[in-house]
Amino acid sequence: MEEFTLPAPTKVNYLNAEYGLKSWLLTKDHKRIALLYLGSVTFFFFIGGVYAMLIRLELLTPQGDLLSSTTYNKVFTQHGIIMIFFFLIPAIPASLGNFLVPMMIGAKDLAFPRINLLSWYIYLAGGLITIYALIAGGVDTGWTFYAPYSTTFSNSYVILTGVGVFISGFSSILTGLNFIVTVHTMRAPGMTWFRMPLFIWAHYATALIMILGTPVVAITILLLAFERLTHVGIFDPAVGGDPVLFQHLFWFYSHPAVYIMVLPGMGIISELIANFSRKNIFGYSFVAFSSLAIAVFGFLVWGHHMFVSGQSVYAGMIFSFLSFAVAIPSAIKVFNWTATLYKGSISYDTPMLYALGFIGLFTIGGMTGLFLASIGLDVHVHDTYFIVAHFHYIMVGGTLLAYLGGLHYWWPKISGRMYPEGWGRFSALVVFIGFNLTFLPQFIAGYMGMPRRYHAYPPEFQVLNVLSSAGASILGVGLLIPMVYLIWSMRYGKSAEANPWHLPGLEWRTPSPPPTQNFLVTPVVTWEAYEFAPPEEMEVVGRLRRESGLDEAPIRG
Amino acid sequence: MQTWMPFLPERASSLSGKVDALYFYLSGVTIFFTLLISGTLIFFVIKYRRRSPYEIPRPIAGSHKLETLWSVIPLLIAMSMFVWGAQVYFEQARPPESPSEIFVVGKQWMWKLQHTTGQREINELHVPVGRKIKLIMTSEDTIHSFFIPAFRIKTDVLPGRYTTQWFEATKPGTYHLFCAEYCGMNHSGMIGSIVVMVPSEFDDWLSGNSSQQSPAIAGQQIYQSLGCVSCHGANGEGGRGPTLAGLFGGQVFLTSGETVKADEAYIRESIVNPQAKLVSGFGPIMPTFQGQVTEEQLLQILAFIKSLQVANPQPATPATGPMAPAPSAAATARPNLR
């Protein structure tokens, strides 16, 4: 067992190595690019959040009184487009993943730093075109762009928005490509595939979906724009097209895209659960392979979005069967995370609270997914608030909570500052309560029959909608608090040590914030993932440190 | 039902209870596993809380036995849900024997409905308790979805093709009808009501509204005015075009060598796109009627062709020239009304 000592704090790090706008806009440092992404996804999250608030305000009363129906249709469409394409898909991979994939495998950078920067510019271009489309008049097709409404009937900026989404897809492809090459070629000496943290496995699986799935949605959007411009019959039956074809193409990408959004979150949760209980992950290889299984099976279940679209009975049966099969790897992950805690040493820091919240909410989100896979039941709940509640449990209760947990966990490394722990725990609790109050009532409203995308609704659904809107305001406050204190902590937070959580991972074996080249000396990995020091050794070290008056726990012997 | 279960919609069809039973099963399993996972989490988090900053627990590699156990048990439970869900779905998807038919045409933003006896309704549908009813649905513009929560049924209504669904109402009352597929500006206004009546009241309602023409008779008039008669014969006995009497529900041999079932979709396609499936022995001479007939008229022609079903039991052979209808045929070929 080699002795590991903390590197001496250095004055120069990636944040102060260079100054000026140009040093940021032309940077090739994956950590700076990660921060550019972090800022941009936060901006888009804020816009998407404002739309969410407008939706919840409108639905306080059964009458469509706050917004006109056209405006309401644009608001829910734009909420979906912004949140999915410009927040959920890039949020974890392009910000935290960008920062941490090289650091966790002991690399100096991603394999293609220039392509990494290019991906951010492409993302930004796509985002700004979409924002322009929203300002110019907006789009009202729903984020799903279903034809023939989108190709023939909608009088809104469909093509412009489509172009924005189309362009941003390339940033996703480039990020995925970069991750795959980096993981294959740039691991530090000794960092074998099965010594990689599970965060890396999750990102590897995500990257596979990004490069295989995204081109299909790009093609779909092109065909849609082509039909809208030229009236060549592709999707609209009035000119000889097939509207169900659009749904097949769209969901062939957009169902795997769900896993682009949630797999990186699962990677974060594996890190948090292992590190905050100081235990290696129970069944590392099961968890690693379950990510790949999800990536592969995820491509075979798109038809469960089309159980009532007139698809053949037997196609429906097969998609139903496969949809149940894809649930199993997720179930394995949940059980393995829970088992990891057994006989652990569990701390209650903010990231761990988010991780525990994730497991609970993801369990509900995943189990309610079975309602939708079960074809006889899906017919009733399809396109109701039940599905709205289900995917928010996955996207918000899952991805967003994982993202917040990861952001707090790596914040000391990213910013070099500690966030205020008390506020962190408090806001995690507020988010958890607000989230459940928002979305639990929607399951009930959905089963009772309230259709989604309704501007006005029958009065018997009002109580549930008022609860939901009340929850949304609590959730909104819970999300604003971290936004404020994280920004505050960049200047006023306590300075972070290199390894504030006392963990064995490579990213903690370099100063906070790290130098531009990540590691002062190329690390050589001789330990397994999540290998904490042997207990006997820790007891001795702890006794010695207590006796010599040092209060810091060492990381590992 | 409403009084003791506030979180369920009314149960008003023969399927409602079956879907609810499946729902209870899945809800039960979900609640069980959510409590199991969160209970275990909370127990572990309290029991194994960090007691000293130097504490390092002994690593546990994992257990293939346990992992297999918690892969196989969820798989078995998932398969039970799959089989049960498939059973319910088969029942939903399989149309019953000899149902009453109702035509549904969706358009932005209203539902147009017509009974086989001719009554037309808009955004309101009267149906009797205890009769199996099949909806034959299409859209004039974009995709809609015909959703009756109290019956637990929903099927998309697509332009350019027919979709069907069926139900048997079990409880008189008035229930919601929703459009469940987003269809533009007034999507949330594309709603209506389903009025379920006891059969005697329903029959009264029907006879009180009997001034309207039945779709089959209306279809016959369209059939004549469009000139279908010249090739298919006044009573569908055939001629230059294939025989229509007795066509519906049977098998059709195509020039391509394939065989298709003459269902609603086939007949609709053969009117708007006649070259798509050519009947064996006939040339591609029929012009398209796309744009010349509305969706409602198409449904009426369909009703007329269906009514020819039992009227002319003798299959007409393709003749070399137009055949004069036999005097008796006019009497027997009267639309067969239920």
Short mmCIF file of all heavy atoms in Angstrom, two decimals, chain A residues 67-115:
data_model
loop_
_atom_site.label_atom_id
_atom_site.label_comp_id
_atom_site.label_asym_id
_atom_site.label_seq_id
_atom_site.Cartn_x
_atom_site.Cartn_y
_atom_site.Cartn_z
N LEU A 67 -53.83 32.74 -19.47
CA LEU A 67 -53.22 32.82 -20.80
C LEU A 67 -54.27 32.45 -21.83
O LEU A 67 -55.21 31.71 -21.52
CB LEU A 67 -52.06 31.81 -20.90
CG LEU A 67 -50.99 31.85 -19.80
CD1 LEU A 67 -50.10 30.62 -19.90
CD2 LEU A 67 -50.16 33.11 -19.93
N SER A 68 -54.09 32.91 -23.05
CA SER A 68 -54.97 32.43 -24.12
C SER A 68 -54.56 31.00 -24.44
O SER A 68 -53.46 30.57 -24.09
CB SER A 68 -54.81 33.31 -25.36
OG SER A 68 -53.57 33.04 -25.96
N SER A 69 -55.45 30.26 -25.12
CA SER A 69 -55.10 28.87 -25.37
C SER A 69 -53.89 28.77 -26.28
O SER A 69 -53.03 27.89 -26.10
CB SER A 69 -56.30 28.12 -25.96
OG SER A 69 -56.75 28.77 -27.10
N THR A 70 -53.74 29.68 -27.23
CA THR A 70 -52.57 29.65 -28.10
C THR A 70 -51.30 29.86 -27.29
O THR A 70 -50.30 29.16 -27.46
CB THR A 70 -52.70 30.73 -29.18
OG1 THR A 70 -53.98 30.60 -29.78
CG2 THR A 70 -51.63 30.60 -30.23
N THR A 71 -51.34 30.86 -26.38
CA THR A 71 -50.16 31.12 -25.56
C THR A 71 -49.86 29.92 -24.67
O THR A 71 -48.71 29.51 -24.54
CB THR A 71 -50.41 32.37 -24.68
OG1 THR A 71 -50.89 33.40 -25.51
CG2 THR A 71 -49.14 32.81 -24.00
N TYR A 72 -50.90 29.35 -24.07
CA TYR A 72 -50.67 28.20 -23.19
C TYR A 72 -50.01 27.06 -23.96
O TYR A 72 -49.06 26.44 -23.47
CB TYR A 72 -51.99 27.73 -22.57
CG TYR A 72 -51.78 26.54 -21.66
CD1 TYR A 72 -51.30 26.72 -20.36
CD2 TYR A 72 -52.03 25.25 -22.10
CE1 TYR A 72 -51.07 25.65 -19.54
CE2 TYR A 72 -51.80 24.16 -21.28
CZ TYR A 72 -51.33 24.37 -20.00
OH TYR A 72 -51.10 23.29 -19.19
N ASN A 73 -50.50 26.81 -25.19
CA ASN A 73 -49.92 25.73 -25.99
C ASN A 73 -48.45 26.00 -26.28
O ASN A 73 -47.63 25.08 -26.30
CB ASN A 73 -50.68 25.57 -27.30
CG ASN A 73 -52.11 25.10 -27.07
OD1 ASN A 73 -52.44 24.60 -26.00
ND2 ASN A 73 -52.97 25.30 -28.06
N LYS A 74 -48.12 27.25 -26.50
CA LYS A 74 -46.71 27.58 -26.74
C LYS A 74 -45.91 27.42 -25.46
O LYS A 74 -44.77 26.94 -25.50
CB LYS A 74 -46.59 29.02 -27.25
CG LYS A 74 -47.07 29.16 -28.68
CD LYS A 74 -46.98 30.57 -29.19
CE LYS A 74 -47.45 30.61 -30.64
NZ LYS A 74 -47.59 31.97 -31.13
N VAL A 75 -46.50 27.80 -24.33
CA VAL A 75 -45.76 27.73 -23.07
C VAL A 75 -45.40 26.29 -22.73
O VAL A 75 -44.25 25.99 -22.41
CB VAL A 75 -46.58 28.40 -21.94
CG1 VAL A 75 -46.04 28.02 -20.58
CG2 VAL A 75 -46.56 29.91 -22.10
N PHE A 76 -46.36 25.34 -22.85
CA PHE A 76 -45.97 23.96 -22.47
C PHE A 76 -45.03 23.35 -23.51
O PHE A 76 -44.16 22.56 -23.16
CB PHE A 76 -47.19 23.08 -22.17
CG PHE A 76 -47.99 22.61 -23.35
CD1 PHE A 76 -47.48 21.69 -24.26
CD2 PHE A 76 -49.29 23.05 -23.55
CE1 PHE A 76 -48.23 21.25 -25.33
CE2 PHE A 76 -50.04 22.62 -24.62
CZ PHE A 76 -49.50 21.72 -25.52
N THR A 77 -45.20 23.76 -24.78
CA THR A 77 -44.28 23.27 -25.82
C THR A 77 -42.85 23.73 -25.52
O THR A 77 -41.90 22.94 -25.55
CB THR A 77 -44.70 23.81 -27.19
OG1 THR A 77 -46.02 23.35 -27.48
CG2 THR A 77 -43.76 23.35 -28.27
N GLN A 78 -42.73 25.02 -25.20
CA GLN A 78 -41.40 25.59 -25.01
C GLN A 78 -40.78 25.12 -23.70
O GLN A 78 -39.56 24.94 -23.62
CB GLN A 78 -41.50 27.12 -25.12
CG GLN A 78 -41.81 27.50 -26.57
CD GLN A 78 -42.42 28.86 -26.78
OE1 GLN A 78 -42.85 29.17 -27.87
NE2 GLN A 78 -42.49 29.69 -25.74
N HIS A 79 -41.62 24.90 -22.70
CA HIS A 79 -41.11 24.29 -21.46
C HIS A 79 -40.44 22.95 -21.78
O HIS A 79 -39.32 22.68 -21.36
CB HIS A 79 -42.26 24.09 -20.46
CG HIS A 79 -41.92 23.22 -19.28
ND1 HIS A 79 -41.05 23.63 -18.30
CD2 HIS A 79 -42.31 21.97 -18.95
CE1 HIS A 79 -40.93 22.66 -17.40
NE2 HIS A 79 -41.68 21.62 -17.78
N GLY A 80 -41.14 22.14 -22.58
CA GLY A 80 -40.61 20.82 -22.91
C GLY A 80 -39.35 20.90 -23.76
O GLY A 80 -38.35 20.24 -23.48
N ILE A 81 -39.38 21.74 -24.79
CA ILE A 81 -38.23 21.81 -25.70
C ILE A 81 -36.99 22.31 -24.97
O ILE A 81 -35.91 21.72 -25.08
CB ILE A 81 -38.58 22.70 -26.91
CG1 ILE A 81 -39.58 21.98 -27.81
CG2 ILE A 81 -37.33 23.05 -27.70
CD1 ILE A 81 -40.12 22.81 -28.95
N ILE A 82 -37.16 23.39 -24.21
CA ILE A 82 -36.00 23.96 -23.50
C ILE A 82 -35.47 22.96 -22.47
O ILE A 82 -34.27 22.69 -22.39
CB ILE A 82 -36.41 25.28 -22.80
CG1 ILE A 82 -36.77 26.33 -23.85
CG2 ILE A 82 -35.30 25.76 -21.88
CD1 ILE A 82 -35.60 26.96 -24.54
N MET A 83 -36.37 22.39 -21.68
CA MET A 83 -35.92 21.52 -20.60
C MET A 83 -35.27 20.26 -21.14
O MET A 83 -34.26 19.79 -20.62
CB MET A 83 -37.09 21.15 -19.69
CG MET A 83 -37.51 22.27 -18.75
SD MET A 83 -36.19 22.75 -17.63
CE MET A 83 -37.09 23.59 -16.36
N ILE A 84 -35.83 19.66 -22.19
CA ILE A 84 -35.29 18.39 -22.67
C ILE A 84 -34.04 18.61 -23.50
O ILE A 84 -32.98 18.06 -23.19
CB ILE A 84 -36.37 17.62 -23.45
CG1 ILE A 84 -37.39 17.08 -22.45
CG2 ILE A 84 -35.75 16.47 -24.25
CD1 ILE A 84 -38.64 16.54 -23.06
N PHE A 85 -34.14 19.42 -24.54
CA PHE A 85 -33.00 19.51 -25.46
C PHE A 85 -31.88 20.40 -24.94
O PHE A 85 -30.73 20.22 -25.31
CB PHE A 85 -33.46 20.00 -26.84
CG PHE A 85 -34.39 19.03 -27.52
CD1 PHE A 85 -35.74 19.32 -27.68
CD2 PHE A 85 -33.91 17.81 -27.98
CE1 PHE A 85 -36.58 18.42 -28.31
CE2 PHE A 85 -34.76 16.91 -28.61
CZ PHE A 85 -36.10 17.21 -28.76
N PHE A 86 -32.22 21.39 -24.11
CA PHE A 86 -31.19 22.35 -23.72
C PHE A 86 -30.85 22.29 -22.23
O PHE A 86 -29.95 22.96 -21.79
CB PHE A 86 -31.60 23.76 -24.15
CG PHE A 86 -31.74 23.87 -25.63
CD1 PHE A 86 -32.99 23.79 -26.25
CD2 PHE A 86 -30.62 23.96 -26.44
CE1 PHE A 86 -33.10 23.83 -27.63
CE2 PHE A 86 -30.73 24.01 -27.81
CZ PHE A 86 -31.97 23.94 -28.41
N PHE A 87 -31.59 21.54 -21.44
CA PHE A 87 -31.15 21.32 -20.07
C PHE A 87 -30.87 19.84 -19.79
O PHE A 87 -29.74 19.46 -19.53
CB PHE A 87 -32.15 21.89 -19.05
CG PHE A 87 -31.72 21.58 -17.64
CD1 PHE A 87 -30.64 22.25 -17.08
CD2 PHE A 87 -32.34 20.59 -16.89
CE1 PHE A 87 -30.19 21.94 -15.81
CE2 PHE A 87 -31.90 20.28 -15.62
CZ PHE A 87 -30.82 20.96 -15.08
N LEU A 88 -31.89 18.99 -19.86
CA LEU A 88 -31.72 17.61 -19.36
C LEU A 88 -30.67 16.82 -20.14
O LEU A 88 -29.89 16.08 -19.56
CB LEU A 88 -33.05 16.88 -19.38
CG LEU A 88 -34.03 17.31 -18.30
CD1 LEU A 88 -35.44 16.82 -18.62
CD2 LEU A 88 -33.61 16.79 -16.94
N ILE A 89 -30.67 16.95 -21.46
CA ILE A 89 -29.72 16.15 -22.25
C ILE A 89 -28.28 16.61 -22.00
O ILE A 89 -27.43 15.77 -21.71
CB ILE A 89 -30.11 16.16 -23.75
CG1 ILE A 89 -31.38 15.31 -23.93
CG2 ILE A 89 -28.98 15.66 -24.63
CD1 ILE A 89 -31.91 15.27 -25.34
N PRO A 90 -27.97 17.92 -22.06
CA PRO A 90 -26.57 18.27 -21.82
C PRO A 90 -26.20 18.41 -20.34
O PRO A 90 -25.02 18.36 -20.03
CB PRO A 90 -26.43 19.62 -22.53
CG PRO A 90 -27.79 20.21 -22.53
CD PRO A 90 -28.74 19.06 -22.57
N ALA A 91 -27.18 18.61 -19.44
CA ALA A 91 -26.86 19.08 -18.09
C ALA A 91 -25.73 18.28 -17.45
O ALA A 91 -24.67 18.83 -17.13
CB ALA A 91 -28.10 19.05 -17.21
N ILE A 92 -25.93 16.98 -17.24
CA ILE A 92 -24.91 16.25 -16.50
C ILE A 92 -23.70 15.92 -17.38
O ILE A 92 -22.57 16.22 -17.01
CB ILE A 92 -25.51 15.00 -15.82
CG1 ILE A 92 -26.55 15.45 -14.80
CG2 ILE A 92 -24.42 14.17 -15.16
CD1 ILE A 92 -27.28 14.32 -14.13
N PRO A 93 -23.89 15.33 -18.57
CA PRO A 93 -22.70 14.96 -19.34
C PRO A 93 -21.82 16.16 -19.71
O PRO A 93 -20.61 16.11 -19.54
CB PRO A 93 -23.26 14.32 -20.61
CG PRO A 93 -24.67 14.02 -20.33
CD PRO A 93 -25.12 14.92 -19.24
N ALA A 94 -22.43 17.24 -20.19
CA ALA A 94 -21.61 18.31 -20.73
C ALA A 94 -21.03 19.21 -19.65
O ALA A 94 -20.01 19.86 -19.88
CB ALA A 94 -22.41 19.14 -21.72
N SER A 95 -21.64 19.25 -18.46
CA SER A 95 -21.02 20.07 -17.42
C SER A 95 -20.21 19.18 -16.47
O SER A 95 -18.99 19.17 -16.51
CB SER A 95 -22.07 20.90 -16.68
OG SER A 95 -23.01 20.07 -16.04
N LEU A 96 -20.89 18.39 -15.64
CA LEU A 96 -20.14 17.56 -14.68
C LEU A 96 -19.32 16.50 -15.40
O LEU A 96 -18.16 16.23 -15.04
CB LEU A 96 -21.11 16.91 -13.68
CG LEU A 96 -21.85 17.89 -12.78
CD1 LEU A 96 -22.87 17.18 -11.91
CD2 LEU A 96 -20.87 18.66 -11.91
N GLY A 97 -19.89 15.89 -16.44
CA GLY A 97 -19.16 14.86 -17.18
C GLY A 97 -17.91 15.43 -17.84
O GLY A 97 -16.83 14.85 -17.78
N ASN A 98 -18.08 16.58 -18.46
CA ASN A 98 -16.95 17.24 -19.10
C ASN A 98 -15.83 17.51 -18.11
O ASN A 98 -14.65 17.29 -18.38
CB ASN A 98 -17.45 18.57 -19.68
CG ASN A 98 -16.88 18.84 -21.05
OD1 ASN A 98 -15.80 18.39 -21.37
ND2 ASN A 98 -17.63 19.57 -21.86
N PHE A 99 -16.21 17.98 -16.92
CA PHE A 99 -15.23 18.30 -15.90
C PHE A 99 -14.56 17.04 -15.39
O PHE A 99 -13.35 16.99 -15.17
CB PHE A 99 -15.93 19.04 -14.74
CG PHE A 99 -14.98 19.76 -13.81
CD1 PHE A 99 -14.77 21.12 -13.95
CD2 PHE A 99 -14.32 19.07 -12.80
CE1 PHE A 99 -13.90 21.79 -13.11
CE2 PHE A 99 -13.45 19.74 -11.95
CZ PHE A 99 -13.24 21.10 -12.10
N LEU A 100 -15.37 15.99 -15.18
CA LEU A 100 -14.88 14.88 -14.36
C LEU A 100 -14.40 13.66 -15.13
O LEU A 100 -13.62 12.89 -14.59
CB LEU A 100 -15.97 14.48 -13.37
CG LEU A 100 -16.12 15.57 -12.32
CD1 LEU A 100 -17.51 15.60 -11.76
CD2 LEU A 100 -15.09 15.36 -11.22
N VAL A 101 -14.87 13.46 -16.36
CA VAL A 101 -14.43 12.24 -17.06
C VAL A 101 -12.90 12.20 -17.15
O VAL A 101 -12.29 11.21 -16.74
CB VAL A 101 -15.12 12.10 -18.44
CG1 VAL A 101 -14.43 11.06 -19.29
CG2 VAL A 101 -16.59 11.73 -18.25
N PRO A 102 -12.23 13.28 -17.61
CA PRO A 102 -10.76 13.19 -17.61
C PRO A 102 -10.17 13.07 -16.21
O PRO A 102 -9.23 12.30 -16.00
CB PRO A 102 -10.32 14.50 -18.27
CG PRO A 102 -11.51 14.98 -19.02
CD PRO A 102 -12.69 14.51 -18.23
N MET A 103 -10.72 13.81 -15.25
CA MET A 103 -10.12 13.81 -13.91
C MET A 103 -10.25 12.45 -13.25
O MET A 103 -9.37 12.01 -12.51
CB MET A 103 -10.79 14.88 -13.05
CG MET A 103 -10.64 16.26 -13.63
SD MET A 103 -10.55 17.55 -12.41
CE MET A 103 -9.14 17.04 -11.50
N MET A 104 -11.37 11.78 -13.47
CA MET A 104 -11.60 10.52 -12.76
C MET A 104 -10.80 9.37 -13.36
O MET A 104 -10.62 8.34 -12.71
CB MET A 104 -13.09 10.18 -12.75
CG MET A 104 -13.88 11.12 -11.84
SD MET A 104 -15.65 10.87 -12.00
CE MET A 104 -15.97 9.87 -10.59
N ILE A 105 -10.36 9.52 -14.62
CA ILE A 105 -9.54 8.45 -15.19
C ILE A 105 -8.07 8.86 -15.25
O ILE A 105 -7.25 8.14 -15.80
CB ILE A 105 -10.03 8.01 -16.59
CG1 ILE A 105 -9.97 9.19 -17.56
CG2 ILE A 105 -11.44 7.44 -16.51
CD1 ILE A 105 -10.24 8.77 -19.01
N GLY A 106 -7.74 10.01 -14.69
CA GLY A 106 -6.35 10.42 -14.60
C GLY A 106 -5.80 10.98 -15.92
O GLY A 106 -4.61 10.82 -16.19
N ALA A 107 -6.65 11.64 -16.71
CA ALA A 107 -6.19 12.21 -17.99
C ALA A 107 -6.03 13.71 -17.86
O ALA A 107 -6.58 14.34 -16.97
CB ALA A 107 -7.19 11.88 -19.09
N LYS A 108 -5.25 14.27 -18.78
CA LYS A 108 -5.02 15.72 -18.75
C LYS A 108 -6.21 16.48 -19.32
O LYS A 108 -6.47 17.62 -18.98
CB LYS A 108 -3.79 16.06 -19.59
CG LYS A 108 -2.47 15.71 -18.94
CD LYS A 108 -1.34 16.42 -19.69
CE LYS A 108 0.01 16.20 -19.05
NZ LYS A 108 0.52 14.83 -19.28
N ASP A 109 -6.90 15.86 -20.25
CA ASP A 109 -8.03 16.54 -20.90
C ASP A 109 -8.84 15.47 -21.62
O ASP A 109 -8.50 14.29 -21.55
CB ASP A 109 -7.53 17.60 -21.90
CG ASP A 109 -8.56 18.70 -22.13
OD1 ASP A 109 -9.75 18.36 -22.31
OD2 ASP A 109 -8.19 19.88 -22.11
N LEU A 110 -9.89 15.89 -22.33
CA LEU A 110 -10.58 14.95 -23.21
C LEU A 110 -9.71 14.70 -24.44
O LEU A 110 -8.76 15.45 -24.70
CB LEU A 110 -11.94 15.50 -23.63
CG LEU A 110 -13.04 15.48 -22.56
CD1 LEU A 110 -14.27 16.22 -23.06
CD2 LEU A 110 -13.40 14.06 -22.17
N ALA A 111 -10.06 13.69 -25.22
CA ALA A 111 -9.22 13.33 -26.36
C ALA A 111 -9.15 14.44 -27.41
O ALA A 111 -8.12 14.65 -28.02
CB ALA A 111 -9.74 12.04 -26.99
N PHE A 112 -10.28 15.15 -27.60
CA PHE A 112 -10.32 16.19 -28.64
C PHE A 112 -10.76 17.51 -28.01
O PHE A 112 -11.94 17.87 -28.08
CB PHE A 112 -11.30 15.80 -29.75
CG PHE A 112 -11.05 14.45 -30.35
CD1 PHE A 112 -11.97 13.42 -30.19
CD2 PHE A 112 -9.90 14.20 -31.08
CE1 PHE A 112 -11.75 12.18 -30.75
CE2 PHE A 112 -9.67 12.96 -31.64
CZ PHE A 112 -10.59 11.94 -31.47
N PRO A 113 -9.80 18.25 -27.45
CA PRO A 113 -10.19 19.50 -26.75
C PRO A 113 -10.86 20.51 -27.67
O PRO A 113 -11.80 21.18 -27.27
CB PRO A 113 -8.86 20.04 -26.23
CG PRO A 113 -7.93 18.88 -26.24
CD PRO A 113 -8.37 17.97 -27.34
N ARG A 114 -10.41 20.61 -28.91
CA ARG A 114 -11.01 21.62 -29.81
C ARG A 114 -12.45 21.23 -30.15
O ARG A 114 -13.35 22.06 -30.21
CB ARG A 114 -10.19 21.74 -31.08
CG ARG A 114 -8.88 22.49 -30.88
CD ARG A 114 -8.12 22.64 -32.18
NE ARG A 114 -6.79 23.18 -31.94
CZ ARG A 114 -5.76 22.44 -31.53
NH1 ARG A 114 -5.91 21.14 -31.35
NH2 ARG A 114 -4.58 23.00 -31.32
N ILE A 115 -12.65 19.93 -30.38
CA ILE A 115 -14.01 19.47 -30.67
C ILE A 115 -14.91 19.71 -29.46
O ILE A 115 -16.09 20.05 -29.59
CB ILE A 115 -13.99 17.98 -31.07
CG1 ILE A 115 -13.41 17.85 -32.47
CG2 ILE A 115 -15.38 17.36 -31.00
CD1 ILE A 115 -13.39 16.45 -33.01
#
